[in-house]
Amino acid sequence: MITIETSRLLLRNYRVTDFEDIIKYFSDEEVSKFEDFYPMSEEQVRNMITEWQDMDNRLVAELKSKQNVIGSIGYWIDDEGHYCMDYDFNPEYCGQGYATEAGNALIRYLFESVGISTIYGDCDVRNISSWKLLERLGFNRIRRLDNQSYKNDKNGNPILISTFLYELDKAQFNLSNNIKRYLKTSIYTYAGAYRELLISLPGDIAAIGKLVCDQITHPSMYFTEPFAYLEDTYYGKFASYPSHRFKNEDELYITATSMIAGIFYLDEAGFGENKDVTKRLTVSCRQASILFSAILKAKGIPCRSRAGFMDFGNDGDSYVEHWVNEYWDFGENRWVLVDVDGYYEYEERFGYSQFDLPRYKFITASEAWLGLRRHTLHKNLDVYPTNLLEGVCEYLLMDFHALMNNEIFYSYQPMHLRSGIQALSENELCELDYLAELLEDPDGNIERIEHIWNTKEEWFVLTNNTQNIYQDTFGESCSSKGK
C-alpha cells in the first residue's frame, strides 16, 4: 500500500468507500470517449475497485481539502517491459492543474522509488487535452501510430483510431524539473485569491497576450504625440484619461494581485477586450511581464520574466531597455519569447508574432554586459542612466533576480550598488562578468546561479528609495552592526 502526497492531493490505493466519487467519471461518456472502455455500470465500477484496491500501480487522486476522489492515475507494464502511465479525471475538476500535479508526483515516484529510467504514455490523436497534459509533464512525442484498436463497436467490429506515443526519460525529467521551477510564484507573480479567475481566462498564448495588452497603456503614450491610428484601433482618445490619475502608475501596481485589483477597480467587468484608456492601468513593460507570468503560472505553464533590450524595429541596430517573457512550450521543447507590452503588429510589418518572437529581437542583459566589458557589442543601447555600463548593470541584476523568480521593481537595486558602479573594484566587476556568463545559459548553469543567489549578499540584498531615506536618517541598521 502506498501514499504519495502533493500540495493538494493524496495519491493512494482504491477503497470500497470511494465508489460514489469514482462512478461519477468512469460512467461519464466524455471520459470514456477516447478510452478503451465504454461508460461503466455500477457493477463494473464495484468490480474494478475490488480488483484494484490491493494494487500499488492503480491509485486514486484524493482532493485533500474535500477528502473526495477526483480522478484515477496509475501505470501498467506492457509485453516489452515498458512502464506506461494512464489517467482519468472527473471533468468537474479539469482545468485546475490537478492532473498535472498528480502526474508529476507519479513520475517522480516511478523514477526515484521504483527506479525505472523511462516512462511511456499514449493517447488518441483527437484527445487534445490528454496529449497536452503529457507535454506539460515533459513527455516527448516520438511517433504516430495509425490503425490502432482498443475497443469494438456495438457489432463487435474493431474501432480503428490513430494514437500519439510519448516517452519521458529520467534525464529529461530532471531537465524538466529545472523548467518547472518557473511554475513557482514570487510575491510579484502570486495570484492569491485570483488564481481561479486566472485559470478561467483563455488558454491560447496569443489570446492571453492580447488580453494583457488590452488591460494596459504604457506611460510613454501620455508623453508623446498621440497617433490617431492607435486611438481609433486600440485605446480610444488619450485626452479622455482622467487628470487626477498618475500618468505612470508603476508604483501603484508592483504585484500581479495589485494589478488585478486595479483592473476590477477601473472596470467591474474585470478582464475585457479593447478597453479605452480610462479603464486601463497605466504601467510599463515590467508590470505587463509580471501579469502575463502570473496568468501562465496559474494555468500550469512555466513562465519567466526577462530584463534586457528590445529592437522595436527590425534592423538589429538599436535596442531599448525592456522586459519580456519566456514561456516553455513542452511540445517544441523550447523557451518561446513573448512581448505583451503593447500592440506591435509585427505580423503585418515583419511576418512574425509578438507572442513568438525571433531571438535576435531581444538582447539579454548578460549579452549586453559582456559585450560592453569585452568591447564586442556593436549595437546601440538606449538606457536610462547616463552611464551606459551602469544602466546595463541594473538590468543584469534585475534579470538575475527574475531568473530566481524574484522579479524586482526598477528601483529595487542591491545595497552594494547604492554608490554607483564607479565604486566597484575590478574584482567585483569580474564577479559580475562571471554572473553574466552563467546567465547566458540559465538552465544549464542553474545550480551555480543559485549558489551565487544563496551566498553573494552583494547582489541580492536590496534597497529602495524609502529604505535609503531611513538609512540616511538613522544610519546603518542594528543587524549590520552585529547588535
Side-chain angles (χ1 to χ4, degrees):
M1 307 291 280
I2 65 170
T3 300
I4 305 170
E5 185 169 1
T6 71
S7 61
R8 297 183 293 172
L9 302 173
L10 282 178
L11 306 187
R12 59 166 176 79
N13 298 85
Y14 280 73
R15 298 171 185 164
V16 173
T17 53
D18 297 328
F19 171 78
E20 294 296 336
D21 292 332
I22 292 173
I23 196 170
K24 290 178 182 177
Y25 54 94
F26 275 119
S27 64
D28 189 293
E29 288 190 8
E30 282 301 308
V31 172
S32 65
K33 181 177 180 180
F34 299 117
E35 293 288 14
D36 58 358
F37 58 86
Y38 288 102
M40 292 187 182
S41 66
E42 289 190 8
E43 181 181 3
Q44 287 174 313
V45 172
R46 292 188 191 278
N47 289 339
M48 181 188 70
I49 294 173
T50 300
E51 179 184 353
W52 286 2
Q53 62 183 346
D54 295 322
M55 299 172 64
D56 286 346
N57 66 319
R58 291 297 173 190
L59 306 173
V60 297
E62 177 186 312
L63 186 59
K64 292 193 293 188
S65 61
K66 296 183 178 180
Q67 295 185 321
N68 66 311
V69 171
I70 64 171
S72 298
I73 190 166
Y75 64 93
W76 53 282
I77 304 174
D78 68 13
D79 295 338
E80 298 178 7
H82 297 148
Y83 281 68
C84 307
M85 190 171 78
D86 54 18
Y87 40 81
D88 292 287
F89 277 77
N90 187 331
E92 293 181 15
Y93 294 91
C94 290
Q96 301 177 56
Y98 294 121
T100 303
E101 189 172 324
N104 276 320
L106 180 63
I107 290 168
R108 188 172 294 106
Y109 168 78
L110 289 173
F111 283 143
E112 297 177 0
S113 298
V114 179
I116 65 174
S117 59
T118 307
I119 306 171
Y120 292 87
D122 70 336
C123 62
D124 192 309
V125 298
R126 299 167 297 171
N127 194 352
I128 297 173
S129 61
S130 183
W131 57 256
K132 282 191 173 182
L133 170 62
L134 289 170
E135 291 176 0
R136 283 199 302 276
L137 293 171
F139 283 77
N140 279 330
R141 185 186 299 176
I142 56 177
R143 70 177 63 94
R144 174 181 172 133
L145 302 172
D146 294 320
N147 298 318
Q148 303 293 298
S149 178
Y150 297 113
K151 61 185 176 185
N152 298 331
D153 61 22
K154 294 179 180 179
N155 297 319
N157 299 314
I159 299 174
L160 298 180
I161 62 170
S162 296
T163 62
F164 289 139
L165 180 62
Y166 284 85
E167 178 184 67
L168 175 65
D169 63 43
K170 189 172 183 179
Q172 178 187 355
F173 179 69
N174 290 334
L175 170 63
S176 184
N177 277 340
N178 282 342
I179 303 303
K180 290 171 187 171
R181 72 175 53 248
Y182 296 107
L183 288 172
K184 296 179 181 178
T185 59
S186 64
I187 187 64
Y188 306 108
T189 57
Y190 177 64
Y194 296 115
R195 185 172 183 273
E196 298 302 321
L197 167 69
L198 298 188
I199 290 173
S200 72
L201 295 178
D204 177 71
I205 294 295
I208 297 171
K210 171 63 164 55
L211 193 62
V212 171
C213 293
D214 285 340
Q215 315 312 306
I216 288 170
T217 307
H218 194 280
S220 62
M221 296 293 186
Y222 297 108
F223 298 92
T224 56
E225 189 69 25
F227 287 94
Y229 173 77
L230 292 177
E231 289 184 323
D232 295 341
T233 308
Y234 299 113
Y235 296 98
K237 297 298 182 183
F238 290 109
S240 66
Y241 187 72
S243 58
H244 67 273
R245 286 178 59 186
F246 290 117
K247 293 180 179 178
N248 183 337
E249 297 176 319
D250 277 348
E251 292 182 354
L252 290 178
Y253 302 116
I254 291 177
T255 67
T257 51
S258 64
M259 282 186 271
I260 298 167
I263 288 168
F264 277 92
Y265 177 76
L266 295 173
D267 183 357
E268 291 185 352
F271 285 84
E273 299 178 351
N274 303 317
K275 293 184 175 182
D276 69 67
V277 293
T278 65
K279 296 181 179 180
R280 293 173 180 247
L281 309 179
T282 305
V283 294
S284 61
C285 54
R286 182 250 174 209
Q287 269 69 345
S289 175
I290 296 306
L291 184 56
F292 184 75
S293 280
I295 296 171
L296 264 62
K297 288 171 185 282
K299 288 177 171 291
I301 302 172
C303 187
R304 61 194 187 191
S305 296
R306 299 301 303 268
F309 304 89
M310 176 66 78
D311 173 16
F312 290 104
N314 201 44
D315 55 14
D317 180 56
S318 183
Y319 291 77
V320 179
E321 56 185 24
H322 198 56
W323 283 62
V324 295
N325 291 91
E326 293 174 326
Y327 78 88
W328 185 256
D329 186 320
F330 282 105
E332 298 186 9
N333 282 312
R334 69 182 178 102
W335 288 107
V336 180
L337 187 65
V338 175
D339 187 358
V340 296
D341 180 35
Y343 310 95
Y344 297 111
E345 299 184 350
Y346 288 141
E347 293 92 337
E348 291 80 7
R349 296 165 61 197
F350 308 128
Y352 48 77
S353 169
Q354 71 184 83
F355 308 120
D356 187 359
L357 290 168
R359 283 284 154 179
Y360 65 79
K361 292 285 291 183
F362 185 71
I363 294 178
T364 62
S366 55
E367 180 184 350
W369 172 268
L370 293 172
L372 289 174
R373 289 276 289 160
R374 297 168 179 172
H375 308 289
T376 58
L377 184 70
H378 305 297
K379 301 178 187 299
N380 296 316
L381 297 183
D382 185 358
V383 298
Y384 174 68
T386 55
N387 184 316
L388 180 59
L389 190 63
E390 183 158 352
V392 173
C393 182
E394 291 179 0
Y395 267 74
L396 176 69
L397 291 165
M398 283 190 287
D399 196 43
F400 169 47
H401 279 254
L403 287 167
M404 292 291 98
N405 279 320
N406 187 46
E407 306 86 352
I408 56 176
F409 189 55
Y410 304 108
S411 61
Y412 300 175
Q413 286 290 314
M415 177 77 75
H416 193 62
L417 280 173
R418 191 182 174 199
S419 299
I421 198 170
Q422 67 276 4
L424 297 183
S425 68
E426 183 58 30
N427 283 340
E428 289 171 320
L429 292 174
C430 288
E431 286 182 4
L432 290 175
D433 292 343
Y434 176 62
L435 174 62
E437 289 169 357
L438 296 180
L439 296 183
E440 289 282 80
D441 179 15
D443 300 313
N445 296 320
I446 193 63
E447 291 184 359
R448 284 180 284 179
I449 296 170
E450 283 190 330
H451 178 73
I452 293 174
W453 176 256
N454 291 322
T455 60
K456 295 295 293 183
E457 290 191 2
E458 296 94 323
W459 313 129
F460 67 77
V461 175
L462 302 175
T463 187
N464 57 34
N465 293 333
T466 306
Q467 183 172 315
N468 290 340
I469 293 172
Y470 275 92
Q471 182 163 349
D472 291 343
T473 303
F474 298 106
E476 293 185 19
S477 67
C478 291
S479 61
S480 69
K481 297 177 181 178
K483 296 182 180 178

